[in-house]
Amino acid sequence: MHLRAIIMSAFFLAGAAPSALAEEIPAATTATNSTAPEADGRTWKLTAGGFLQADAVVVDQSSQDQLSPAAGEPLNTQRFLVRRAHVFVEAHQNALASVIEMDANTVKGMSAGLARAELALGRVRPAWDAEISLGLLRIPFGLEVQEWDPDRFFLERSNVSRALFPGTFDLGARGKVSWRFVRAQFAVMNGSPLADASFPARDPNAAKDFVGRLGVDATVVERVRISAGFSSLKGTGFHPGTPATKDVLVWRDQNEDGIVQLSEIQVIAGRAATPSQNFSRFAVGADSRIGATLPRLGRLMVFGEVVWGANLDRALLPADPVASGRDLREFGWVVGASQEFTTRAALGIRYDFYNPDVDGFRQTPTAIAPKDMSFRTWTVTVSWGGLGRDRLLLEYQHNRNALAVAADGSPTSLAADTLTLRGQVVFQ
Amino acid sequence: MRCRPVWLFLPLFLAACGGVASDTGLEALVRVTGGQFYRGAIDKLSSASTPTVVEVRNSMTVIAPGLLNKQVSGRLDPGSTAMAIGFAGDIGYWILPADVADSDSPTQPTFHAVLSFALALPAKSYDLIVRAVSVPGVFGPAAHVALDVQQTLPPTGTLVVSLWWDTGSDLDLHVVEPNGTEIWAGNLNSYDAYAVTPTTDAGAWNEGGILDFDSNAACVLDGRCNENVVWSATPPAGTYLARVDTFSLCGNTAARWTVEAFLNGASLGRAEGESVASNQRFSKGKGSGLAALSFTVPPP
């Protein structure tokens, strides 16, 4: 317990890249589309931009032309959709900066809302710079969470990243410091990211999540750049209580004759309300990315990330240790690489592994056996369109999971491979 | 399993053909709660001599189309890890992991299947097959349960006016007798004890036309989507009017309905139509609804 606290404290010394706004929005943004005179200390300088990602899901093996029997939602996933349509406005005045970003998409029908709202106070010096921010901020954890969506070579983040951090933004306050090659970030946040399965962008308890990253980012030799870091999160989850229920009279047709008989009428007694409870959760992670420019070929990017967590899954199989009666430990990792070929084409491959319940088990007729709950995905992506962010992407995902039942009753993989085409445009 | 063509990524696609196809099995005649659906006839699977189904417990052998939550349970040979269940000749079958043994037979795994049946289940006898399965997917011999499907028949009566529709909406049948009496959910019986000569006949109420059920009332869905007005005695001669009132579509975009009148089993007329959102606007109660079918009952 003490060791964990010491490790956590060390990680909380801070995070990754400098200046949130400068990192979040492409550097070019700050020099274009200005709608006000250059900042002179009292006037605001406004810049605007955005990006669009439109998808065509060509094949999805899990797609069906049916409605979900439980929720009534369409099960067909082979469709056209707008994955992200973002517009943002950024404002600067001396050390003060602000950005407001809106997102619209059709992932679950037409929806639009706030994607980012950040107020930042920064100071830049030759040897170091620092910044504090308040609002709806990017969560300073690991590599994938902090990547801007159009910059990511693959269409979406890995399973472990999406499960532990559903939506990469959360409400809170964040500090950033960079000194030479050292990058540090620390944030206090609500703990309910934008795509949280339970209370998105809200906070059901007063306790806050503490999250940070300590890392390095440096050019070690000519054309080779390395960034690496350790991240940690310590927070408090929420188990919802239940309201009081009334007595209910239920008819169970036990002899299946369709006739109500006295012995088939049962009283389900009402129950008193149960209180909500908080529970502890945490995660630690390590990440690294190496970028190198190869002669004749182009840029090569290799990256990897590993995360251990407990009770932190908030999307894929939401963790609730109060309901399950035990802690749910998560483990996941991802490795990948992308290589540019000529100035127009690039190829990337990624493998990610995520186990939402390392201690999972199942009851067999004769014993309690371990259950491998892991999700494993191979991703192959081809990009066409040059080295900028405007490009066409074709991605095949080969998914393995434990969501189906084999003929002998054991868990097996549910076919869920996908082939997706994406068009992406960034305007600024 | 089904493999969809991904010719652009053929090598990876070939590697991908290992998973179980995602399938709700809603097209099957019988469905199993919590079961994994596999396409293929259960009676055509290759069979080994073991494991066997030791016992199948089933209380009723007569079922109705659309029946929910029918329980079938039993015991399997030791070594069984799952059971397969389905109708012989159906498009697929269901796999359920075996449960732990009970204290009566501590070496024999048990199974508990909760079945539901398709609404369009044709009336005939079916062979429900249960097979024990062991690792690695070895199917044992079939155990048979005969189930007879009893078709839901329209109510019997001298004159029957039926309304049925296709979505979970609250539609109401109104029938106006030749004398102007209207039968609907607010007036279930056209017999008027005060309009006739006082009688001591306790069964006189049965002389009127009676609405049998207010289906999906107030959008509490019952799945029947069918209402009938029935005259068990001789109906008054003259011209009748049947109306269809769209009380609520209950969130559906439309409901296609059919009205048909039968006199001694012979059709007097049939009408079809569709209720849409605008049909919900009209006032509700006596006199409401769109005129759907007019028919004449001759004197006896």
Side-chain angles (χ1 to χ4, degrees), chain B residues 136-150:
Chain B
V138 177
F139 289 77
H144 301 269
V145 178
L147 291 179
D148 292 323
V149 175
Q150 199 171 56

PDB file of all heavy atoms in Angstrom, chain B residues 136-150:
ATOM      1  N   PRO B 136     -14.558 -32.037 -27.408  1.00  0.00           N
ATOM      2  CA  PRO B 136     -14.537 -30.725 -28.058  1.00  0.00           C
ATOM      3  C   PRO B 136     -15.695 -30.587 -29.047  1.00  0.00           C
ATOM      4  O   PRO B 136     -15.487 -30.723 -30.253  1.00  0.00           O
ATOM      5  CB  PRO B 136     -13.208 -30.751 -28.797  1.00  0.00           C
ATOM      6  CG  PRO B 136     -13.035 -32.208 -29.186  1.00  0.00           C
ATOM      7  CD  PRO B 136     -13.798 -33.035 -28.185  1.00  0.00           C
ATOM      8  N   GLY B 137     -16.852 -30.381 -28.580  1.00  0.00           N
ATOM      9  CA  GLY B 137     -18.009 -30.195 -29.446  1.00  0.00           C
ATOM     10  C   GLY B 137     -18.582 -31.488 -29.990  1.00  0.00           C
ATOM     11  O   GLY B 137     -19.028 -31.544 -31.133  1.00  0.00           O
ATOM     12  N   VAL B 138     -18.546 -32.553 -29.186  1.00  0.00           N
ATOM     13  CA  VAL B 138     -19.121 -33.837 -29.598  1.00  0.00           C
ATOM     14  C   VAL B 138     -20.584 -33.881 -29.181  1.00  0.00           C
ATOM     15  O   VAL B 138     -20.904 -33.762 -27.997  1.00  0.00           O
ATOM     16  CB  VAL B 138     -18.351 -35.012 -28.951  1.00  0.00           C
ATOM     17  CG1 VAL B 138     -18.996 -36.341 -29.328  1.00  0.00           C
ATOM     18  CG2 VAL B 138     -16.896 -34.980 -29.374  1.00  0.00           C
ATOM     19  N   PHE B 139     -21.463 -34.064 -30.164  1.00  0.00           N
ATOM     20  CA  PHE B 139     -22.897 -34.101 -29.880  1.00  0.00           C
ATOM     21  C   PHE B 139     -23.339 -35.541 -29.637  1.00  0.00           C
ATOM     22  O   PHE B 139     -23.040 -36.430 -30.423  1.00  0.00           O
ATOM     23  CB  PHE B 139     -23.698 -33.534 -31.058  1.00  0.00           C
ATOM     24  CG  PHE B 139     -23.556 -32.042 -31.214  1.00  0.00           C
ATOM     25  CD1 PHE B 139     -22.409 -31.495 -31.768  1.00  0.00           C
ATOM     26  CD2 PHE B 139     -24.558 -31.191 -30.801  1.00  0.00           C
ATOM     27  CE1 PHE B 139     -22.266 -30.127 -31.908  1.00  0.00           C
ATOM     28  CE2 PHE B 139     -24.430 -29.818 -30.942  1.00  0.00           C
ATOM     29  CZ  PHE B 139     -23.288 -29.290 -31.491  1.00  0.00           C
ATOM     30  N   GLY B 140     -24.079 -35.734 -28.558  1.00  0.00           N
ATOM     31  CA  GLY B 140     -24.615 -37.050 -28.260  1.00  0.00           C
ATOM     32  C   GLY B 140     -25.922 -37.282 -28.985  1.00  0.00           C
ATOM     33  O   GLY B 140     -26.384 -36.434 -29.759  1.00  0.00           O
ATOM     34  N   PRO B 141     -26.540 -38.445 -28.763  1.00  0.00           N
ATOM     35  CA  PRO B 141     -27.806 -38.757 -29.444  1.00  0.00           C
ATOM     36  C   PRO B 141     -28.929 -37.828 -28.997  1.00  0.00           C
ATOM     37  O   PRO B 141     -28.887 -37.249 -27.911  1.00  0.00           O
ATOM     38  CB  PRO B 141     -28.083 -40.211 -29.019  1.00  0.00           C
ATOM     39  CG  PRO B 141     -27.277 -40.413 -27.789  1.00  0.00           C
ATOM     40  CD  PRO B 141     -26.086 -39.536 -27.880  1.00  0.00           C
ATOM     41  N   ALA B 142     -29.944 -37.739 -29.842  1.00  0.00           N
ATOM     42  CA  ALA B 142     -31.037 -36.799 -29.588  1.00  0.00           C
ATOM     43  C   ALA B 142     -32.051 -37.377 -28.613  1.00  0.00           C
ATOM     44  O   ALA B 142     -32.386 -38.563 -28.671  1.00  0.00           O
ATOM     45  CB  ALA B 142     -31.722 -36.448 -30.901  1.00  0.00           C
ATOM     46  N   ALA B 143     -32.516 -36.502 -27.735  1.00  0.00           N
ATOM     47  CA  ALA B 143     -33.688 -36.821 -26.918  1.00  0.00           C
ATOM     48  C   ALA B 143     -34.838 -36.007 -27.487  1.00  0.00           C
ATOM     49  O   ALA B 143     -34.661 -34.840 -27.854  1.00  0.00           O
ATOM     50  CB  ALA B 143     -33.431 -36.445 -25.464  1.00  0.00           C
ATOM     51  N   HIS B 144     -35.991 -36.620 -27.587  1.00  0.00           N
ATOM     52  CA  HIS B 144     -37.095 -35.976 -28.294  1.00  0.00           C
ATOM     53  C   HIS B 144     -38.213 -35.579 -27.342  1.00  0.00           C
ATOM     54  O   HIS B 144     -38.577 -36.334 -26.442  1.00  0.00           O
ATOM     55  CB  HIS B 144     -37.659 -36.918 -29.364  1.00  0.00           C
ATOM     56  CG  HIS B 144     -36.629 -37.334 -30.374  1.00  0.00           C
ATOM     57  ND1 HIS B 144     -36.415 -36.641 -31.540  1.00  0.00           N
ATOM     58  CD2 HIS B 144     -35.740 -38.355 -30.367  1.00  0.00           C
ATOM     59  CE1 HIS B 144     -35.439 -37.232 -32.221  1.00  0.00           C
ATOM     60  NE2 HIS B 144     -35.015 -38.274 -31.525  1.00  0.00           N
ATOM     61  N   VAL B 145     -38.752 -34.388 -27.581  1.00  0.00           N
ATOM     62  CA  VAL B 145     -39.938 -33.930 -26.857  1.00  0.00           C
ATOM     63  C   VAL B 145     -40.952 -33.496 -27.916  1.00  0.00           C
ATOM     64  O   VAL B 145     -40.652 -32.628 -28.737  1.00  0.00           O
ATOM     65  CB  VAL B 145     -39.613 -32.746 -25.932  1.00  0.00           C
ATOM     66  CG1 VAL B 145     -40.872 -32.250 -25.237  1.00  0.00           C
ATOM     67  CG2 VAL B 145     -38.558 -33.135 -24.911  1.00  0.00           C
ATOM     68  N   ALA B 146     -42.127 -34.123 -27.903  1.00  0.00           N
ATOM     69  CA  ALA B 146     -43.148 -33.753 -28.888  1.00  0.00           C
ATOM     70  C   ALA B 146     -43.932 -32.544 -28.369  1.00  0.00           C
ATOM     71  O   ALA B 146     -44.411 -32.541 -27.236  1.00  0.00           O
ATOM     72  CB  ALA B 146     -44.084 -34.923 -29.124  1.00  0.00           C
ATOM     73  N   LEU B 147     -44.040 -31.532 -29.210  1.00  0.00           N
ATOM     74  CA  LEU B 147     -44.809 -30.346 -28.852  1.00  0.00           C
ATOM     75  C   LEU B 147     -45.858 -30.100 -29.934  1.00  0.00           C
ATOM     76  O   LEU B 147     -45.533 -30.087 -31.130  1.00  0.00           O
ATOM     77  CB  LEU B 147     -43.894 -29.116 -28.738  1.00  0.00           C
ATOM     78  CG  LEU B 147     -42.910 -29.079 -27.571  1.00  0.00           C
ATOM     79  CD1 LEU B 147     -42.069 -27.814 -27.635  1.00  0.00           C
ATOM     80  CD2 LEU B 147     -43.633 -29.156 -26.237  1.00  0.00           C
ATOM     81  N   ASP B 148     -47.073 -29.910 -29.524  1.00  0.00           N
ATOM     82  CA  ASP B 148     -48.156 -29.618 -30.464  1.00  0.00           C
ATOM     83  C   ASP B 148     -48.499 -28.140 -30.383  1.00  0.00           C
ATOM     84  O   ASP B 148     -48.763 -27.618 -29.297  1.00  0.00           O
ATOM     85  CB  ASP B 148     -49.404 -30.439 -30.122  1.00  0.00           C
ATOM     86  CG  ASP B 148     -49.168 -31.917 -30.375  1.00  0.00           C
ATOM     87  OD1 ASP B 148     -48.477 -32.231 -31.359  1.00  0.00           O
ATOM     88  OD2 ASP B 148     -49.643 -32.732 -29.569  1.00  0.00           O
ATOM     89  N   VAL B 149     -48.480 -27.504 -31.535  1.00  0.00           N
ATOM     90  CA  VAL B 149     -48.818 -26.088 -31.577  1.00  0.00           C
ATOM     91  C   VAL B 149     -50.301 -25.942 -31.866  1.00  0.00           C
ATOM     92  O   VAL B 149     -50.806 -26.467 -32.863  1.00  0.00           O
ATOM     93  CB  VAL B 149     -47.988 -25.353 -32.648  1.00  0.00           C
ATOM     94  CG1 VAL B 149     -48.439 -23.909 -32.770  1.00  0.00           C
ATOM     95  CG2 VAL B 149     -46.526 -25.425 -32.296  1.00  0.00           C
ATOM     96  N   GLN B 150     -50.965 -25.253 -30.968  1.00  0.00           N
ATOM     97  CA  GLN B 150     -52.400 -25.047 -31.105  1.00  0.00           C
ATOM     98  C   GLN B 150     -52.599 -23.641 -31.664  1.00  0.00           C
ATOM     99  O   GLN B 150     -52.183 -22.660 -31.048  1.00  0.00           O
ATOM    100  CB  GLN B 150     -53.057 -25.162 -29.735  1.00  0.00           C
ATOM    101  CG  GLN B 150     -54.528 -25.423 -29.775  1.00  0.00           C
ATOM    102  CD  GLN B 150     -55.042 -25.728 -28.369  1.00  0.00           C
ATOM    103  OE1 GLN B 150     -54.865 -24.933 -27.452  1.00  0.00           O
ATOM    104  NE2 GLN B 150     -55.675 -26.868 -28.209  1.00  0.00           N
TER     105      GLN B 150
END
